[in-house]
């Protein structure tokens, strides 16, 4: 059953009706296909019914291990229509549903196995009879309909293909009346002569013209000729050699689905409603199976980046550096947004507040243009750790993330309780204490005074980019019981509120659509929160859409075109790629694989590394207006070597991981003590 397209239990009810009421059909052997029913109890109930009635059946079982190996049809949706794009937002709800249905195609073709089962029936029947009728499971044939079909086919025995118009019924019992003949105007069923060459195309998935594709090849006219081929559709096929060589005869009933409002004959609204309900039902079933078979791999309490860290396992160099960093963090904080020395535009100190870093007051007063953008040149006060940054919240937020992570890591590594206790104080003051807690939004991040009602920019959301490793710190503190259950409940509530804002606000939705590093770090935030809260479907969908983002961000040769337009290209190429490394690590920890994903032209993380790494140890040949820390290449070098092996021709004099500094500047996008974990 596919609820809401069908009423729960309707498939078994219809089978019972067929077994009890469909007459014996002369010169016909009825066989059933038990087709990948995912509910073992329901499957067994159906098999029992068939066996008790004495009917043979093909059993195509649902195999969980096979299903687990099936991924998304990412290439099937043009990257410009991915859910993280502006074009997708402009589509109506039905078209958005069809875009998502295309992503589900491979999963649909396995779990629904629509044309696959038809072809299985067709192949099974070819060795048994002169004609094969691989019909849908809810079809019902009356005695008179059968005779009408046979008589019609007898008039043109040379035709190898026949179409049988279908009538939808809303009351199955009506088919038991004498001489019943409802109008049959719906998509027909097909009959194949045993030597017919054609089969159904198994690439076409249930809910998107799987049978119509055959009609197109045969040149069968119908309402489907007016259906548009959308950019995410499988292509309309060419005519086959047998086009036009078919007949039409008889009729067949389609038993009640249990949803009367969707079964009105010839009603366009019912047709549209059936399509919507079918998409909802298919995706709903797949979502439930994914939660069951994949979601079990998600352990919200398990650290993503520093799992398994225990005392006595660190390189001595890292151990010394970690203890020194922890002692420094112990002497700082705790921090709060209420500590800033200026007010945000809202006047509420609990609102995070930071001006746009690259927008400078215009030296020439021009009405409507109070600021000019200088890419790569930061306005005083927006540079991390400088004295004027006390006016705003950006430095304070970074201290919160870094110090909490370092302290939690040091506590786990050294067993020193004072580190965990101070880290917990940092979390409480920023998120939990009503007098000092930050409001769960970034509405005043990267504000340009006088612009957009003095609200923040979408780009301001990247200032929370390092939440991903901070959440690992919170996991460590929870495991060590430095934060109580009630405190963790409050923190998760704050996180859910922030997540809702990230999903619903226009500011955040604009950031989601960014085609450069901002989109990458948006996905990293959403995925990290989803993993922490155990929101499997949100995590799955975010990682799915990140694959489409790869198609947009990386050129076939591995170049990052958007980042190459900046004035600091070395920085942004490394910064974005570092974000992808973090996202791929998170995906891997949750049972998914971004590392090996490649687009049709090999776009992917690996290709991007292969383009970047030949620059290790050499002068960067592209625009870079400020100083660049070339050690950042070393991190990507190690990640590439460990994941893929080094590309041909790339060696480089790169130190071992423990010999590289553990702390990079926060703008570089590298978590503290990146070597650990």
């Amino acid at each position: 059953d596919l609820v809401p397209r069908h009423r729960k239990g309707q498939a078994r009810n219809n089978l019972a009706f067929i077994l009890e009421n469909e007459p014996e059909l002369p010169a016909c052997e009825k066989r059933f296909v038990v087709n990948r029913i995912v509910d073992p109890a329901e499957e067994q109930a159906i098999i029992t019914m068939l066996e008790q009635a004495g009917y043979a059946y093909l059993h195509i079982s649902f195999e969980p291990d096979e299903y687990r190996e099936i991924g998304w049809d990412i290439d099937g949706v043009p990257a410009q229509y991915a859910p993280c794009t502006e074009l997708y937002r402009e589509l109506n709800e039905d078209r958005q549903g069809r875009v998502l249905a295309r992503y589900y195609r491979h999963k649909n073709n396995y779990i629904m196995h629509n044309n696959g089962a038809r072809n299985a029936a067709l192949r099974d029947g070819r060795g048994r009879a002169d004609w094969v009728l691989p019909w849908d499971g809810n079809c019902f044939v009356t005695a008179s309909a059968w005779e009408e079909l046979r008589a019609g086919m007898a008039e043109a025995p040379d035709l190898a293909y026949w179409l049988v118009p279908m009538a939808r019924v809303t009351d199955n019992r009506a088919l038991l009346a004498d001489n019943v003949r409802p109008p049959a105007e719906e998509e027909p069923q097909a009959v194949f002569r045993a030597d017919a060459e054609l089969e159904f195309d198994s690439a076409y998935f249930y809910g998107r013209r799987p049978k119509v594709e055959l009609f197109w090849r045969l040149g069968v006219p119908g309402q489907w000729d007016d259906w548009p081929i959308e950019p995410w559709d499988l292509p309309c096929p060419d005519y086959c050699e047998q086009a036009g060589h078919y007949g039409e005869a008889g009729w067949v009933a389609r038993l009640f689905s249990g949803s009367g409002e969707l079964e009105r004959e010839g009603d366009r609204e019912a047709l549209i409603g059936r399509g919507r309900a079918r998409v909802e039902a298919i995706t709903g079933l797949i979502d439930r199976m994914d939660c069951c078979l994949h979601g079990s791999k998600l352990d919200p309490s398990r650290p993503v980046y520093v799992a398994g860290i225990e005392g006595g396992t660190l390189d001595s160099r890292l151990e010394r550096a970690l203890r020194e960093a922890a002692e420094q963090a112990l002497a700082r904080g705790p921090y709060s947004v209420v500590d800033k020395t200026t007010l945000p535009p809202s006047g509420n100190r609990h609102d995070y507040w930071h001006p746009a870093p690259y927008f400078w007051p215009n030296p020439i007063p021009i009405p409507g243009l109070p600021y000019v953008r200088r890419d790569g040149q930061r306005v005083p006060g927006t540079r991390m750790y400088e004295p004027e940054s006390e006016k705003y919240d950006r430095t304070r937020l970074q201290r919160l993330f870094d110090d909490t992570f370092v302290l939690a890591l040091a506590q786990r590594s050294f067993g020193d309780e004072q580190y965990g206790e101070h880290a917990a104080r940092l979390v409480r003051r920023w998120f939990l204490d009503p007098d000092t807690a930050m409001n769960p939004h970034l509405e005043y991040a990267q504000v340009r005074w006088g612009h957009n009602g003095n609200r923040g920019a979408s780009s301001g959301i990247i200032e929370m980019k390092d939440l991903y490793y901070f959440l690992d710190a919170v996991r460590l503190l929870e495991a060590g019981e430095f934060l109580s259950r009630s405190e963790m409940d409050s923190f998760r509530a704050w996180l859910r509120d922030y997540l809702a804002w990230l999903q619903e606000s226009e500011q955040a939705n604009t950031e989601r659509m960014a085609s450069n590093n901002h989109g990458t770090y948006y996905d990293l935030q959403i995925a990290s929160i989803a993993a922490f809260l155990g929101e499997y479907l949100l995590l799955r969908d975010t990682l799915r859409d990140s694959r489409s983002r790869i198609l947009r961000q990386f050129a076939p040769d591995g170049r990052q075109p958007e980042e190459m337009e900046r004035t600091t290209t070395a920085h942004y190429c490394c910064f974005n790629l570092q974000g992808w490394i973090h996202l791929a690590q998170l995906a891997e920890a949750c049972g998914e694989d971004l590392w090996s994903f490649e687009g049709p032209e090999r776009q992917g993380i690996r290709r991007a590394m292969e383009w970047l790494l030949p620059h290790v140890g050499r002068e960067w040949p592209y625009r870079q207006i400020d100083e660049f820390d070339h050690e950042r290449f070393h991190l990507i070098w190690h990640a590439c070597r460990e994941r893929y092996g080094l590309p041909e021709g790339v060696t480089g004099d790169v130190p071992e991981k423990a010999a590289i500094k553990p702390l990079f500047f926060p703008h570089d996008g590298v978590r503290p003590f990146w070597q650990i974990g």
Side-chain angles (χ1 to χ4, degrees), residues 324-458:
E324 180 181 349
E327 289 297 321
Q328 292 174 357
L330 201 59
R332 291 191 291 256
Y335 314 100
S336 167
V337 289
V338 302
D339 296 338
K340 54 182 167 281
T341 60
T342 61
L343 283 175
S346 64
N348 186 343
R349 286 192 178 276
H350 292 271
D351 290 337
Y352 179 92
W353 146 235
H354 193 229
Y358 300 135
F359 283 86
W360 293 70
N362 195 337
I364 304 175
I366 300 176
L369 190 63
Y371 295 92
V372 291
R373 188 172 190 270
R374 298 176 183 171
D375 187 25
Q377 301 179 46
R378 288 184 169 269
V379 173
T382 66
R383 297 184 184 92
M384 202 85 72
Y385 310 128
E386 67 178 354
E388 286 190 70
S389 69
E390 287 296 308
K391 296 189 293 186
Y392 313 116
D393 289 316
R394 180 68 185 93
T395 293
R396 215 168 274 106
L397 177 66
Q398 195 65 48
R399 289 288 195 199
L400 167 77
F401 286 161
D402 291 349
D403 288 358
T404 306
F405 182 77
V406 165
L407 288 164
L409 198 58
Q411 192 285 320
R412 174 60 64 92
S413 299
F414 308 134
D416 193 329
E417 298 289 296
Q418 64 175 337
Y419 295 147
E421 290 166 358
H422 190 57
R425 284 194 288 271
L426 297 179
V427 175
R428 291 188 190 103
R429 190 160 194 266
W430 191 277
F431 294 101
L432 305 181
D433 185 342
D435 293 332
T436 58
M438 171 186 165
N439 288 331
H441 62 75
L442 293 173
E443 291 182 9
Y444 302 101
Q446 299 196 6
V447 170
R448 278 184 280 162
W449 282 104
H451 175 77
N452 191 32
N454 294 331
R455 302 187 81 84
S458 61

Side-chain angles (χ1 to χ4, degrees), residues 249-320:
W251 65 279
V252 60
R254 200 276 190 192
L255 296 177
F256 185 42
S257 68
S259 301
E261 71 280 1
L262 300 178
E263 299 295 343
R264 295 188 297 270
E265 191 88 24
D267 187 318
R268 176 169 173 75
E269 287 302 313
L271 175 67
I272 294 172
R274 286 197 295 273
R276 289 173 179 165
R278 188 181 296 113
V279 169
E280 180 183 349
I282 295 166
T283 56
L285 173 61
I286 293 173
D287 288 349
R288 291 192 295 276
M289 295 312 300
D290 278 1
C291 282
C292 176
L293 299 177
H294 294 293
S296 59
K297 298 178 182 178
L298 175 60
D299 180 359
S301 66
R302 183 179 186 271
V304 171
Y305 300 95
V306 291
I309 296 302
E310 300 295 344
T313 62
L314 296 183
D315 179 280
S316 59
R317 291 164 292 184
L318 292 177
E319 184 175 326
R320 286 194 300 272

Side-chain angles (χ1 to χ4, degrees), residues 20 41 44 99 131 169 245 373 385 444 465 480 530 557 615 625:
E20 181 179 348
Q44 187 55 53
V99 168
W131 297 91
V169 299
H245 294 277
R373 188 172 190 270
Y385 310 128
Y444 302 101
K465 65 178 174 59
D557 65 355
H615 299 96
I625 65 171

Side-chain angles (χ1 to χ4, degrees), residues 439-511:
N439 288 331
H441 62 75
L442 293 173
E443 291 182 9
Y444 302 101
Q446 299 196 6
V447 170
R448 278 184 280 162
W449 282 104
H451 175 77
N452 191 32
N454 294 331
R455 302 187 81 84
S458 61
S459 56
I461 291 168
I462 204 169
E463 297 189 357
M464 192 73 86
K465 65 178 174 59
D466 291 332
L467 186 68
Y468 72 97
Y469 63 76
F470 173 79
L471 292 179
D472 256 11
V474 176
R475 289 181 173 102
L476 295 177
L477 295 176
E478 181 181 24
E481 299 184 352
F482 294 98
L483 292 168
S484 69
R485 179 175 297 182
S486 63
E487 287 174 328
M488 287 302 304
D489 288 344
S490 296
F491 177 74
R492 290 187 176 94
W494 189 98
L495 210 55
R496 286 190 180 92
D497 289 341
Y498 177 60
L499 176 62
W501 183 83
L502 280 179
Q503 293 177 291
E504 298 167 8
S505 71
E506 185 62 28
Q507 183 181 348
N509 276 312
T510 301
E511 183 76 342

Side-chain angles (χ1 to χ4, degrees), residues 140-267:
F140 184 93
V141 186
T142 67
S144 60
W146 182 249
E147 290 308 316
E148 185 179 334
L149 171 61
R150 293 182 70 195
M153 290 175 60
E155 294 180 3
D158 59 315
L159 295 178
Y161 305 95
W162 288 83
L163 305 179
V164 184
M166 188 169 67
R168 294 184 181 275
V169 299
T170 55
D171 180 2
N172 292 350
R173 307 296 302 180
L175 294 169
L176 304 182
D178 293 338
N179 300 316
V180 63
R181 181 58 161 90
E185 300 172 348
E186 296 294 322
E187 183 180 294
Q189 300 293 320
V191 180
F192 296 74
R193 199 168 63 199
D195 62 349
E197 297 178 3
L198 298 183
E199 290 190 346
F200 296 94
D201 188 339
S202 60
Y204 280 72
F205 54 101
Y206 181 64
R208 199 59 179 165
R209 307 163 183 170
K211 199 190 307 167
V212 164
E213 185 277 337
L214 176 68
F215 300 160
W216 275 329
R217 281 187 282 153
L218 279 171
V220 179
Q223 59 183 338
W224 42 84
D225 292 329
D226 297 325
W227 295 346
I229 303 296
E230 295 173 333
W232 43 86
D233 276 329
L234 288 164
C236 181
D238 294 331
Y239 292 131
C240 65
E241 290 184 6
Q242 298 88 351
H245 294 277
Y246 64 88
E248 182 176 306
W251 65 279
V252 60
R254 200 276 190 192
L255 296 177
F256 185 42
S257 68
S259 301
E261 71 280 1
L262 300 178
E263 299 295 343
R264 295 188 297 270
E265 191 88 24
D267 187 318

Side-chain angles (χ1 to χ4, degrees), residues 66-80:
E66 291 180 359
Y67 180 79
R68 286 188 182 97
E69 297 301 315
I70 296 172
W72 302 105
D73 184 8
I74 300 298
D75 297 348
V77 176
Q80 65 267 32

